[in-house]
Amino acid sequence: MIDYMRPGSQWIRYRNRSGHVYMDGNFDTTTPVIRALDPPIVASRIRIVPSSKNTRTVCMRAEIHGWKHEGVIYYSTVPDGSRLDTLDFKDNMFENSQMYTESGITRGLGLLTDGYVAQTSPFEKNQMNNSWIGWNRDTTDGRVTILFEFEEIHNFTDVVLATFGNRIDGIDVIFSQDGKTFPLFSQISSSERQTLNNTSRRYDFRVPLHNRAGRKVRISIKFSSDWMFLTEVHFTSAANLTLMTEKVPTPESATTQKLSVIGGIIFLLIFVGSIYCISVCLKRRQKNKSVDSNVKKDLIITHMGNKPSCHVFPSNGKLSNGHYEVANDILYTRSQKSTLLSVSSKSSSSCRVIPPTWNDFNFPPPPEPNKEEHTYSQPVSPENSSNGSYKSVKKVPALKKYPTSALLIGKAIGEGKFTMIKECIIFGGLKCAHKSSKEEDCVHGTRAMGDEISCLLKCGRHPRIVELYGVDESYNLLLEPVEYGCIRNFWLASETSLDTEFLARICKDVFSAMAYLESIRIVHGHFTPNNILLDGEFHAKICSPRGPSHHAQLRYSAPESIVNNEFTHKSDAWAVSTTVYEMAYQCRQRPYEELTNEQIVDNARALLDHQPHAHVPLIPTVFPYEIMQLLTRSFRIEQTDRPTFERFWKAFSEIN
């Protein structure tokens, strides 16, 4: 007999596919034999228990053949398989692990992870025992939930369900990184398209998981046929794409070799690290001295009214001193409201350099911009695109990286699901917004900011898109500050009635930016009113384009995005038009106000199935007829029927 153990479990007695616990040993003491383990054993410890009917001395030599397991270590199903009359489709191969979930459901491994995929019908008489788990609709209400547990956090690319039946109506996959909470934003929903062939069949149902991270994965399945069967569930992730193969050396040579290699690596690391630390310290000392001397050289006394003050102006060209490299085209792109750091002086006869604070700002006028660096598709002003092309854009230099010591970070001014935004000043006086992940080890926040950097670099400097100034040493974003923040907060704080002319101008700015993204093939991916910011001239700028891998809130997502995880420019059109719906009510009424998240998902499925009871947002008549027609077309189910952003932009540009 064989006993085995996994992390957190007690010793488990092994049973093969036919349910037997005994396996044959050998008939003599000299000839080796191989016994296949079907199903395989997933274990961290194995114990071999010799057994004999007669008292005897046992001699044994054993080898265990296998590979490193990086897949599921436990799963549990609710409910268990169904048993009706003579039909028994329970998981009879499920191990007796004596492990339970918090709700008392048995955890373990069984048929769904045994590596065997049945190909024939579960109802065939010659079907191998324990090949299918089946659930009957009458006993389960057509709903099954399976919880899969992994030893470490994985980035999942897809899951394949080897199934038999007519059709799976829908699958919801949700992830947990801490093993306790399952955030709704991590959920991925998918459904099988309706087909004319309603006969039962064996097929694989693949669900893309878009590199979602988790230690536990919960799959909820809905079905309307009489039976739903599974023979295997297989996850693919970044952690198990490559199998490890190791050669087994002799014990003596292995020990000597390991000690030699480890000793050499440690010595090399210490030597290289010491040289690196010494060189860095020397460079920083020299650079700090040069920065201090240049700051003192550039000290200028100015008067603001009757109050004397002491200002530090940067030199001409680039302020280039080691770590502090800020180009003029970055320093002076703001209006006269932008400032350089200054230090007040209480007397006209004294002036001394002290560390800058947030309490005192005085702003010198910006120098003339370098016109040769501006490149437009049409000769228009980037600060006022009302008469120009939505493609008006400046060239952008390579991504600038600033040391943390060159940043003065202030109070928080906003936050997202995974990110935090704070006031910031870059050495030299440039105000910006510092965007960082809320938690250092948050995979979603890090991925979101990385994708945002890629999109903003590709965008360049468009007048209606928030500009990326650069990043810090941890690749946190340094963004253009926008004076009045997001449109939702602006309108919620306003007590005036809706100004349709102002709304039309905001929409024109938004569609100008989205038309540009569409022209360079960037999908925004998660558009809501929070992505519309108002600048000092009450023009709109959009922020945070991240591409198709980051889901928006359900209330703004197109049905194909909710159900099939499809994110395109056409799904962006749905999301932006839904945002226009909310802005038409001055952000005081959300889309689908009366529906829960689950009902929104059901409504999305009903829309894709062209069911008559499904509904879409109904925008009040606040625009001319042509624009209202375009907004109505944005909510059509056929994506090809939805208008382009360029068509929207032209329509809003024609409004007097």
Side-chain angles (χ1 to χ4, degrees), residues 171 173 187-191 207-210 212 548-549 551 558-568 571 608:
I171 289 182
V173 187
Q187 179 171 312
I188 292 177
S189 300
S190 183
S191 64
V207 180
L209 301 183
H210 306 295
R212 286 290 196 276
S549 300
H551 291 198
E560 68 271 11
S561 302
I562 297 174
V563 177
N564 300 325
N565 301 304
E566 295 179 11
F567 288 84
T568 63
S571 63
L608 293 179

PDB file of all heavy atoms in Angstrom, residues 171 173 187-191 207-210 212 548-549 551 558-568 571 608:
ATOM      1  N   ILE A 171     -20.218  30.629 -17.968  1.00  0.00           N
ATOM      2  CA  ILE A 171     -19.176  30.309 -16.988  1.00  0.00           C
ATOM      3  C   ILE A 171     -18.653  31.615 -16.405  1.00  0.00           C
ATOM      4  O   ILE A 171     -18.337  32.553 -17.150  1.00  0.00           O
ATOM      5  CB  ILE A 171     -18.022  29.517 -17.630  1.00  0.00           C
ATOM      6  CG1 ILE A 171     -18.470  28.095 -17.968  1.00  0.00           C
ATOM      7  CG2 ILE A 171     -16.824  29.449 -16.693  1.00  0.00           C
ATOM      8  CD1 ILE A 171     -17.369  27.237 -18.566  1.00  0.00           C
ATOM      9  N   VAL A 173     -15.573  32.939 -13.934  1.00  0.00           N
ATOM     10  CA  VAL A 173     -14.307  32.564 -13.302  1.00  0.00           C
ATOM     11  C   VAL A 173     -13.833  33.757 -12.477  1.00  0.00           C
ATOM     12  O   VAL A 173     -13.706  34.868 -12.999  1.00  0.00           O
ATOM     13  CB  VAL A 173     -13.233  32.187 -14.347  1.00  0.00           C
ATOM     14  CG1 VAL A 173     -11.986  31.650 -13.660  1.00  0.00           C
ATOM     15  CG2 VAL A 173     -13.782  31.159 -15.329  1.00  0.00           C
ATOM     16  N   GLN A 187     -13.326  39.028 -11.914  1.00  0.00           N
ATOM     17  CA  GLN A 187     -14.196  38.028 -12.551  1.00  0.00           C
ATOM     18  C   GLN A 187     -14.137  38.106 -14.067  1.00  0.00           C
ATOM     19  O   GLN A 187     -14.094  39.183 -14.657  1.00  0.00           O
ATOM     20  CB  GLN A 187     -15.640  38.226 -12.075  1.00  0.00           C
ATOM     21  CG  GLN A 187     -16.631  37.239 -12.707  1.00  0.00           C
ATOM     22  CD  GLN A 187     -17.993  37.322 -12.065  1.00  0.00           C
ATOM     23  OE1 GLN A 187     -18.124  37.311 -10.850  1.00  0.00           O
ATOM     24  NE2 GLN A 187     -19.029  37.431 -12.883  1.00  0.00           N
ATOM     25  N   ILE A 188     -14.123  36.933 -14.687  1.00  0.00           N
ATOM     26  CA  ILE A 188     -14.209  36.802 -16.143  1.00  0.00           C
ATOM     27  C   ILE A 188     -15.413  35.921 -16.455  1.00  0.00           C
ATOM     28  O   ILE A 188     -15.573  34.845 -15.871  1.00  0.00           O
ATOM     29  CB  ILE A 188     -12.932  36.176 -16.725  1.00  0.00           C
ATOM     30  CG1 ILE A 188     -11.750  37.135 -16.571  1.00  0.00           C
ATOM     31  CG2 ILE A 188     -13.115  35.802 -18.181  1.00  0.00           C
ATOM     32  CD1 ILE A 188     -10.440  36.573 -17.050  1.00  0.00           C
ATOM     33  N   SER A 189     -16.280  36.400 -17.341  1.00  0.00           N
ATOM     34  CA  SER A 189     -17.482  35.662 -17.707  1.00  0.00           C
ATOM     35  C   SER A 189     -17.410  35.257 -19.171  1.00  0.00           C
ATOM     36  O   SER A 189     -16.897  36.011 -20.006  1.00  0.00           O
ATOM     37  CB  SER A 189     -18.736  36.502 -17.451  1.00  0.00           C
ATOM     38  OG  SER A 189     -18.841  36.860 -16.083  1.00  0.00           O
ATOM     39  N   SER A 190     -17.917  34.076 -19.468  1.00  0.00           N
ATOM     40  CA  SER A 190     -17.890  33.585 -20.838  1.00  0.00           C
ATOM     41  C   SER A 190     -19.105  32.702 -21.065  1.00  0.00           C
ATOM     42  O   SER A 190     -19.690  32.175 -20.103  1.00  0.00           O
ATOM     43  CB  SER A 190     -16.598  32.796 -21.106  1.00  0.00           C
ATOM     44  OG  SER A 190     -16.538  32.376 -22.452  1.00  0.00           O
ATOM     45  N   SER A 191     -19.506  32.566 -22.299  1.00  0.00           N
ATOM     46  CA  SER A 191     -20.639  31.707 -22.639  1.00  0.00           C
ATOM     47  C   SER A 191     -20.382  31.072 -23.990  1.00  0.00           C
ATOM     48  O   SER A 191     -19.593  31.571 -24.794  1.00  0.00           O
ATOM     49  CB  SER A 191     -21.949  32.496 -22.672  1.00  0.00           C
ATOM     50  OG  SER A 191     -21.919  33.467 -23.695  1.00  0.00           O
ATOM     51  N   VAL A 207     -11.708  28.943 -21.944  1.00  0.00           N
ATOM     52  CA  VAL A 207     -12.003  30.292 -21.458  1.00  0.00           C
ATOM     53  C   VAL A 207     -10.681  31.048 -21.315  1.00  0.00           C
ATOM     54  O   VAL A 207      -9.851  30.670 -20.483  1.00  0.00           O
ATOM     55  CB  VAL A 207     -12.740  30.264 -20.104  1.00  0.00           C
ATOM     56  CG1 VAL A 207     -13.039  31.689 -19.640  1.00  0.00           C
ATOM     57  CG2 VAL A 207     -14.015  29.444 -20.201  1.00  0.00           C
ATOM     58  N   PRO A 208     -10.431  32.112 -22.096  1.00  0.00           N
ATOM     59  CA  PRO A 208      -9.214  32.917 -21.906  1.00  0.00           C
ATOM     60  C   PRO A 208      -9.252  33.625 -20.550  1.00  0.00           C
ATOM     61  O   PRO A 208     -10.290  34.171 -20.160  1.00  0.00           O
ATOM     62  CB  PRO A 208      -9.271  33.924 -23.062  1.00  0.00           C
ATOM     63  CG  PRO A 208     -10.255  33.359 -24.035  1.00  0.00           C
ATOM     64  CD  PRO A 208     -11.235  32.585 -23.228  1.00  0.00           C
ATOM     65  N   LEU A 209      -8.143  33.619 -19.833  1.00  0.00           N
ATOM     66  CA  LEU A 209      -8.094  34.206 -18.492  1.00  0.00           C
ATOM     67  C   LEU A 209      -7.224  35.460 -18.421  1.00  0.00           C
ATOM     68  O   LEU A 209      -7.090  36.049 -17.338  1.00  0.00           O
ATOM     69  CB  LEU A 209      -7.595  33.163 -17.476  1.00  0.00           C
ATOM     70  CG  LEU A 209      -8.453  31.898 -17.373  1.00  0.00           C
ATOM     71  CD1 LEU A 209      -7.901  30.972 -16.291  1.00  0.00           C
ATOM     72  CD2 LEU A 209      -9.909  32.247 -17.086  1.00  0.00           C
ATOM     73  N   HIS A 210      -6.615  35.859 -19.521  1.00  0.00           N
ATOM     74  CA  HIS A 210      -5.951  37.160 -19.627  1.00  0.00           C
ATOM     75  C   HIS A 210      -4.932  37.419 -18.521  1.00  0.00           C
ATOM     76  O   HIS A 210      -4.878  38.516 -17.948  1.00  0.00           O
ATOM     77  CB  HIS A 210      -6.987  38.287 -19.639  1.00  0.00           C
ATOM     78  CG  HIS A 210      -8.042  38.118 -20.687  1.00  0.00           C
ATOM     79  ND1 HIS A 210      -7.766  38.157 -22.038  1.00  0.00           N
ATOM     80  CD2 HIS A 210      -9.381  37.865 -20.585  1.00  0.00           C
ATOM     81  CE1 HIS A 210      -8.880  37.971 -22.716  1.00  0.00           C
ATOM     82  NE2 HIS A 210      -9.878  37.784 -21.864  1.00  0.00           N
ATOM     83  N   ARG A 212      -4.822  36.637 -15.468  1.00  0.00           N
ATOM     84  CA  ARG A 212      -5.328  36.912 -14.122  1.00  0.00           C
ATOM     85  C   ARG A 212      -4.468  36.155 -13.103  1.00  0.00           C
ATOM     86  O   ARG A 212      -4.033  35.024 -13.358  1.00  0.00           O
ATOM     87  CB  ARG A 212      -6.775  36.477 -13.977  1.00  0.00           C
ATOM     88  CG  ARG A 212      -7.757  37.380 -14.671  1.00  0.00           C
ATOM     89  CD  ARG A 212      -7.869  38.724 -13.962  1.00  0.00           C
ATOM     90  NE  ARG A 212      -9.051  39.431 -14.389  1.00  0.00           N
ATOM     91  CZ  ARG A 212      -9.133  40.182 -15.466  1.00  0.00           C
ATOM     92  NH1 ARG A 212      -8.064  40.321 -16.211  1.00  0.00           N
ATOM     93  NH2 ARG A 212     -10.245  40.795 -15.796  1.00  0.00           N
ATOM     94  N   PRO A 548      -6.741  46.536 -24.075  1.00  0.00           N
ATOM     95  CA  PRO A 548      -7.875  45.626 -23.905  1.00  0.00           C
ATOM     96  C   PRO A 548      -7.764  44.660 -22.736  1.00  0.00           C
ATOM     97  O   PRO A 548      -8.647  43.838 -22.559  1.00  0.00           O
ATOM     98  CB  PRO A 548      -7.884  44.853 -25.231  1.00  0.00           C
ATOM     99  CG  PRO A 548      -6.447  44.811 -25.627  1.00  0.00           C
ATOM    100  CD  PRO A 548      -5.855  46.118 -25.172  1.00  0.00           C
ATOM    101  N   SER A 549      -6.713  44.720 -21.925  1.00  0.00           N
ATOM    102  CA  SER A 549      -6.525  43.703 -20.879  1.00  0.00           C
ATOM    103  C   SER A 549      -7.018  44.133 -19.512  1.00  0.00           C
ATOM    104  O   SER A 549      -6.776  43.456 -18.535  1.00  0.00           O
ATOM    105  CB  SER A 549      -5.033  43.336 -20.771  1.00  0.00           C
ATOM    106  OG  SER A 549      -4.572  42.822 -21.990  1.00  0.00           O
ATOM    107  N   HIS A 551     -10.411  45.372 -17.455  1.00  0.00           N
ATOM    108  CA  HIS A 551     -11.856  45.472 -17.563  1.00  0.00           C
ATOM    109  C   HIS A 551     -12.381  46.750 -16.931  1.00  0.00           C
ATOM    110  O   HIS A 551     -11.912  47.186 -15.886  1.00  0.00           O
ATOM    111  CB  HIS A 551     -12.518  44.280 -16.879  1.00  0.00           C
ATOM    112  CG  HIS A 551     -12.281  43.003 -17.623  1.00  0.00           C
ATOM    113  ND1 HIS A 551     -13.031  41.888 -17.434  1.00  0.00           N
ATOM    114  CD2 HIS A 551     -11.385  42.672 -18.579  1.00  0.00           C
ATOM    115  CE1 HIS A 551     -12.596  40.915 -18.208  1.00  0.00           C
ATOM    116  NE2 HIS A 551     -11.589  41.380 -18.917  1.00  0.00           N
ATOM    117  N   ALA A 558     -19.608  47.096 -22.817  1.00  0.00           N
ATOM    118  CA  ALA A 558     -20.454  46.532 -23.869  1.00  0.00           C
ATOM    119  C   ALA A 558     -20.770  45.073 -23.542  1.00  0.00           C
ATOM    120  O   ALA A 558     -20.012  44.408 -22.830  1.00  0.00           O
ATOM    121  CB  ALA A 558     -19.737  46.643 -25.211  1.00  0.00           C
ATOM    122  N   PRO A 559     -21.878  44.542 -24.059  1.00  0.00           N
ATOM    123  CA  PRO A 559     -22.241  43.150 -23.729  1.00  0.00           C
ATOM    124  C   PRO A 559     -21.185  42.135 -24.164  1.00  0.00           C
ATOM    125  O   PRO A 559     -20.932  41.165 -23.459  1.00  0.00           O
ATOM    126  CB  PRO A 559     -23.575  42.940 -24.463  1.00  0.00           C
ATOM    127  CG  PRO A 559     -23.658  44.056 -25.461  1.00  0.00           C
ATOM    128  CD  PRO A 559     -22.915  45.198 -24.876  1.00  0.00           C
ATOM    129  N   GLU A 560     -20.522  42.374 -25.325  1.00  0.00           N
ATOM    130  CA  GLU A 560     -19.498  41.420 -25.748  1.00  0.00           C
ATOM    131  C   GLU A 560     -18.283  41.476 -24.820  1.00  0.00           C
ATOM    132  O   GLU A 560     -17.557  40.489 -24.677  1.00  0.00           O
ATOM    133  CB  GLU A 560     -19.075  41.690 -27.203  1.00  0.00           C
ATOM    134  CG  GLU A 560     -18.318  42.983 -27.424  1.00  0.00           C
ATOM    135  CD  GLU A 560     -19.210  44.170 -27.710  1.00  0.00           C
ATOM    136  OE1 GLU A 560     -20.449  44.044 -27.528  1.00  0.00           O
ATOM    137  OE2 GLU A 560     -18.690  45.224 -28.113  1.00  0.00           O
ATOM    138  N   SER A 561     -18.049  42.622 -24.171  1.00  0.00           N
ATOM    139  CA  SER A 561     -16.946  42.721 -23.214  1.00  0.00           C
ATOM    140  C   SER A 561     -17.278  41.965 -21.942  1.00  0.00           C
ATOM    141  O   SER A 561     -16.430  41.275 -21.371  1.00  0.00           O
ATOM    142  CB  SER A 561     -16.660  44.188 -22.888  1.00  0.00           C
ATOM    143  OG  SER A 561     -16.341  44.919 -24.043  1.00  0.00           O
ATOM    144  N   ILE A 562     -18.520  42.075 -21.479  1.00  0.00           N
ATOM    145  CA  ILE A 562     -18.933  41.415 -20.235  1.00  0.00           C
ATOM    146  C   ILE A 562     -18.958  39.904 -20.403  1.00  0.00           C
ATOM    147  O   ILE A 562     -18.462  39.160 -19.548  1.00  0.00           O
ATOM    148  CB  ILE A 562     -20.316  41.930 -19.797  1.00  0.00           C
ATOM    149  CG1 ILE A 562     -20.255  43.434 -19.487  1.00  0.00           C
ATOM    150  CG2 ILE A 562     -20.835  41.153 -18.590  1.00  0.00           C
ATOM    151  CD1 ILE A 562     -21.593  44.056 -19.178  1.00  0.00           C
ATOM    152  N   VAL A 563     -19.509  39.438 -21.505  1.00  0.00           N
ATOM    153  CA  VAL A 563     -19.746  37.998 -21.669  1.00  0.00           C
ATOM    154  C   VAL A 563     -18.561  37.299 -22.329  1.00  0.00           C
ATOM    155  O   VAL A 563     -18.136  36.230 -21.878  1.00  0.00           O
ATOM    156  CB  VAL A 563     -21.036  37.761 -22.489  1.00  0.00           C
ATOM    157  CG1 VAL A 563     -21.253  36.271 -22.729  1.00  0.00           C
ATOM    158  CG2 VAL A 563     -22.239  38.374 -21.779  1.00  0.00           C
ATOM    159  N   ASN A 564     -17.999  37.902 -23.378  1.00  0.00           N
ATOM    160  CA  ASN A 564     -16.976  37.220 -24.177  1.00  0.00           C
ATOM    161  C   ASN A 564     -15.581  37.805 -24.032  1.00  0.00           C
ATOM    162  O   ASN A 564     -14.666  37.392 -24.735  1.00  0.00           O
ATOM    163  CB  ASN A 564     -17.375  37.256 -25.661  1.00  0.00           C
ATOM    164  CG  ASN A 564     -18.696  36.568 -25.927  1.00  0.00           C
ATOM    165  OD1 ASN A 564     -19.020  35.568 -25.280  1.00  0.00           O
ATOM    166  ND2 ASN A 564     -19.471  37.104 -26.849  1.00  0.00           N
ATOM    167  N   ASN A 565     -15.408  38.789 -23.153  1.00  0.00           N
ATOM    168  CA  ASN A 565     -14.100  39.407 -22.934  1.00  0.00           C
ATOM    169  C   ASN A 565     -13.520  40.003 -24.217  1.00  0.00           C
ATOM    170  O   ASN A 565     -12.313  39.931 -24.456  1.00  0.00           O
ATOM    171  CB  ASN A 565     -13.110  38.396 -22.339  1.00  0.00           C
ATOM    172  CG  ASN A 565     -13.576  37.840 -21.031  1.00  0.00           C
ATOM    173  OD1 ASN A 565     -13.845  38.589 -20.095  1.00  0.00           O
ATOM    174  ND2 ASN A 565     -13.690  36.525 -20.959  1.00  0.00           N
ATOM    175  N   GLU A 566     -14.374  40.590 -25.041  1.00  0.00           N
ATOM    176  CA  GLU A 566     -13.941  41.222 -26.280  1.00  0.00           C
ATOM    177  C   GLU A 566     -13.870  42.734 -26.054  1.00  0.00           C
ATOM    178  O   GLU A 566     -14.877  43.367 -25.751  1.00  0.00           O
ATOM    179  CB  GLU A 566     -14.908  40.909 -27.426  1.00  0.00           C
ATOM    180  CG  GLU A 566     -14.957  39.434 -27.806  1.00  0.00           C
ATOM    181  CD  GLU A 566     -15.940  39.174 -28.927  1.00  0.00           C
ATOM    182  OE1 GLU A 566     -16.411  40.163 -29.545  1.00  0.00           O
ATOM    183  OE2 GLU A 566     -16.266  38.008 -29.181  1.00  0.00           O
ATOM    184  N   PHE A 567     -12.676  43.308 -26.214  1.00  0.00           N
ATOM    185  CA  PHE A 567     -12.485  44.738 -26.020  1.00  0.00           C
ATOM    186  C   PHE A 567     -11.882  45.326 -27.290  1.00  0.00           C
ATOM    187  O   PHE A 567     -10.761  44.983 -27.666  1.00  0.00           O
ATOM    188  CB  PHE A 567     -11.580  45.006 -24.811  1.00  0.00           C
ATOM    189  CG  PHE A 567     -12.249  44.721 -23.497  1.00  0.00           C
ATOM    190  CD1 PHE A 567     -12.277  43.439 -22.989  1.00  0.00           C
ATOM    191  CD2 PHE A 567     -12.870  45.735 -22.791  1.00  0.00           C
ATOM    192  CE1 PHE A 567     -12.912  43.166 -21.795  1.00  0.00           C
ATOM    193  CE2 PHE A 567     -13.505  45.477 -21.596  1.00  0.00           C
ATOM    194  CZ  PHE A 567     -13.529  44.199 -21.088  1.00  0.00           C
ATOM    195  N   THR A 568     -12.652  46.179 -27.955  1.00  0.00           N
ATOM    196  CA  THR A 568     -12.246  46.780 -29.217  1.00  0.00           C
ATOM    197  C   THR A 568     -12.635  48.260 -29.204  1.00  0.00           C
ATOM    198  O   THR A 568     -13.178  48.763 -28.222  1.00  0.00           O
ATOM    199  CB  THR A 568     -12.938  46.079 -30.406  1.00  0.00           C
ATOM    200  OG1 THR A 568     -14.361  46.275 -30.274  1.00  0.00           O
ATOM    201  CG2 THR A 568     -12.637  44.583 -30.411  1.00  0.00           C
ATOM    202  N   SER A 571     -16.322  48.414 -28.631  1.00  0.00           N
ATOM    203  CA  SER A 571     -16.750  48.342 -27.224  1.00  0.00           C
ATOM    204  C   SER A 571     -16.425  49.647 -26.502  1.00  0.00           C
ATOM    205  O   SER A 571     -17.143  50.056 -25.584  1.00  0.00           O
ATOM    206  CB  SER A 571     -16.077  47.154 -26.525  1.00  0.00           C
ATOM    207  OG  SER A 571     -14.674  47.291 -26.491  1.00  0.00           O
ATOM    208  N   LEU A 608     -27.013  39.809 -26.233  1.00  0.00           N
ATOM    209  CA  LEU A 608     -26.322  39.025 -27.252  1.00  0.00           C
ATOM    210  C   LEU A 608     -27.228  37.964 -27.861  1.00  0.00           C
ATOM    211  O   LEU A 608     -27.042  37.565 -29.018  1.00  0.00           O
ATOM    212  CB  LEU A 608     -25.076  38.370 -26.655  1.00  0.00           C
ATOM    213  CG  LEU A 608     -23.953  39.325 -26.234  1.00  0.00           C
ATOM    214  CD1 LEU A 608     -22.796  38.536 -25.632  1.00  0.00           C
ATOM    215  CD2 LEU A 608     -23.458  40.139 -27.421  1.00  0.00           C
TER     216      LEU A 608
END
